Amino acid sequence: MSSNPRKSRPQKLRVGTRVRYRLPGSFLEAVVIEDRGFIRRGEQVVRVRTINEPDFPDEFDTPVRLLDVVEPATDELAA
């Protein structure tokens, strides 16, 4: 069994995934709207749209490490 000294990439977040953006003592509800790729020091960056958050920007880019998954994206289409 060989050991790999490189860090493995975390699981990618997909478009449509509902997430929470961590703030000190709180969080923002959001949904991933675009995968920007592994562009910031090898970290995946995604664009999110906030949900019912009038005091924050509607959309912004963030590293995935600052997000918690609330509900994974689904491939099913609504009937």
Side-chain angles (χ1 to χ4, degrees):
M1 184 174 187
S2 66
S3 80
N4 186 350
R6 293 175 18 187
K7 287 185 178 180
S8 63
R9 286 188 172 161
Q11 181 178 358
K12 287 179 61 169
L13 287 185
R14 295 174 45 197
V15 171
T17 301
R18 287 187 54 144
V19 294
R20 287 186 178 148
Y21 178 80
R22 291 181 234 139
L23 297 170
S26 184
F27 58 86
L28 297 175
E29 294 280 339
V31 63
V32 175
I33 59 170
E34 181 182 359
D35 179 3
R36 307 273 288 148
F38 290 87
I39 59 174
R40 193 174 290 164
R41 291 181 289 252
E43 291 184 282
Q44 182 189 12
V45 174
V46 293
R47 185 156 191 83
V48 297
R49 178 176 293 135
T50 57
I51 301 171
N52 298 325
E53 298 290 348
D55 297 332
F56 291 90
D58 290 339
E59 298 178 1
F60 59 93
D61 292 346
T62 181
V64 168
R65 67 179 164 76
L66 299 178
L67 302 173
D68 295 318
V69 174
V70 173
E71 184 178 322
T74 178
D75 291 331
E76 296 178 17
L77 297 174

